[in-house]
């Protein structure tokens, strides 16, 4: 009977962030602005890094990949949300929901790995400068990025396959603004204890291990910076590390709160607000944080504005 009920699921209804028409209109404008800022800001970061020869270093290679990832991340959920706010239908087909759940989870996992890799890059640059160019060579950097993507896509495949094979007997109303594993899992009419355990294990492996790498890296970085004599070098080190720590705090803090507890014992509305931060706010803030706080990026942006054609070469 469960399988029969599961087979007739053709769409889900997304409750969104509000059911009030005026609030929905405001949310549409706000999230459209966030989406445009994210796309434009991250494309600008990628273009500036690619065009400026002074930014051809591992740190900016990872930053360009992070910007590309953020574009993919917001594009996996915001367009559908904008359509639902505009049409006020709030429905999404089962296949679209499955695709959205897969890609949003995969992109989120990849961001976890990339932030960990970026912390390791800063550790090597500051704590082992003589070995930096040898260890963090072009080939190694590409392999790190490829490993981040591959492991995330594979992990998302496992989690989503298990989730989508559960029976959904109704109602098919998701208390969320996009299809996310914890929200879809809450609609299953079967024992989800095993899947919750799987999600918890993946949360440990994909979120907490890179987070632990970040903490260890910055413990060594802080110890090294405090021993430096040059105020200028200290300032530059704190500048690049400070940007990364701000992004890590916003993204990891909110993501861990959500995925370390799939059933979300906290109120669902609170869960939706948490999701807004790591799926929408963080990708929008990333280019602003890195562009405004890192002096090399600011200088490159000024050079790009003086020579606008270089962005399109």
């Amino acid at each position: 009977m469960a399988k029969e009920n599961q087979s007739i699921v053709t769409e889900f209804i997304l409750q969104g962030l509000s059911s009030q028409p005026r609030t929905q209109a405001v949310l549409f404008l706000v999230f459209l602005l966030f989406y445009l800022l994210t796309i434009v800001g991250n494309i600008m970061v990628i273009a500036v890094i690619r065009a400026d020869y002074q930014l051809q270093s591992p740190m900016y290679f990872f930053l360009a990949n992070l910007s590309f990832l953020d574009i993919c991340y917001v594009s996996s959920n915001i367009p559908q949300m904008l359509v639902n706010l505009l049409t006020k239908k709030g429905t999404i087909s089962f296949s679209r929901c499955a695709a959205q759940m897969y890609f949003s989870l995969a992109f989120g996992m990849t961001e976890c790995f990339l932030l960990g890799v970026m912390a390791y890059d800063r550790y090597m640059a500051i704590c082992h400068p003589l070995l930096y160019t040898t260890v963090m060579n072009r080939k190694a950097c590409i392999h790190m990025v490829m490993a981040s993507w591959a492991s995330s896509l594979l992990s998302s495949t496992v989690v989503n396959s298990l989730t989508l094979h559960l029976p959904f007997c109704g109602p098919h109303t998701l208390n969320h603004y996009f299809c996310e594993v914890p929200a879809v899992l809450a609609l299953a009419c079967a024992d989800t204890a095993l899947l919750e355990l799987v999600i918890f294990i993946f949360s440990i492996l994909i979120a907490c291990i890179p987070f632990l790498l970040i903490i260890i890296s910055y413990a060594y970085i802080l110890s090294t910076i405090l021993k430096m004599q040059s105020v200028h070098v200290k300032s530059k080190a704190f500048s690049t590390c400070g940007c990364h720590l701000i992004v890590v705090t916003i993204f990891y803090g909110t993501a861990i709160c959500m995925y370390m507890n799939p059933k979300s014992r906290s109120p669902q509305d609170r869960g939706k607000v948490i999701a807004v931060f790591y799926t929408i706010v963080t990708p929008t803030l990333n280019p602003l944080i890195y562009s405004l706080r890192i002096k090399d990026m600011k200088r490159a942006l000024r050079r790009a504005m003086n020579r606008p054609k270089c962005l399109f070469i």
Side-chain angles (χ1 to χ4, degrees), residues 272-287:
K272 287 188 284 187
V273 172
I274 291 173
V276 167
F277 276 93
Y278 65 81
T279 61
I280 299 174
V281 176
T282 302
T284 306
L285 291 179
N286 283 354

Side-chain angles (χ1 to χ4, degrees), residues 36-49:
L36 294 176
L37 286 174
T38 303
I39 299 298
V40 173
N42 283 291
I43 287 177
M44 184 177 294
V45 168
I46 294 171
V48 169
I49 291 173

Side-chain angles (χ1 to χ4, degrees), residues 195-243:
L195 184 52
E196 287 181 57
L197 178 61
V198 171
I199 293 175
F200 180 79
I201 292 172
F202 273 99
S203 299
I204 294 292
L205 295 175
I206 293 168
C208 293
I209 291 180
F211 188 63
L212 183 62
L213 174 63
I214 292 171
I215 292 175
I216 294 172
S217 296
Y218 276 106
Y220 282 107
I221 288 170
L222 181 61
S223 175
T224 302
I225 290 175
L226 293 176
K227 296 175 184 177
M228 292 177 178
Q229 301 298 322
S230 172
V231 176
H232 173 72
V233 175
K234 278 186 178 182
S235 176
K236 186 175 181 179
F238 275 122
S239 176
T240 56
C241 294
C243 297

Side-chain angles (χ1 to χ4, degrees), residues 53-99:
Y53 70 94
Q54 295 185 24
L55 301 183
Q56 305 307 306
S57 67
M59 184 181 84
Y60 294 107
F61 172 75
F62 293 130
L63 179 55
N65 277 275
L66 181 65
S67 292
F68 172 74
L69 175 63
D70 284 338
I71 292 172
C72 296
Y73 201 4
V74 295
S75 296
S76 69
N77 55 69
I78 293 186
Q80 181 68 51
M81 181 177 64
L82 292 175
V83 169
N84 291 343
L85 287 170
L86 191 62
T87 61
K88 298 179 175 61
K89 287 180 63 178
T91 58
I92 183 171
S93 67
F94 185 86
S95 58
R96 282 180 177 269
C97 183

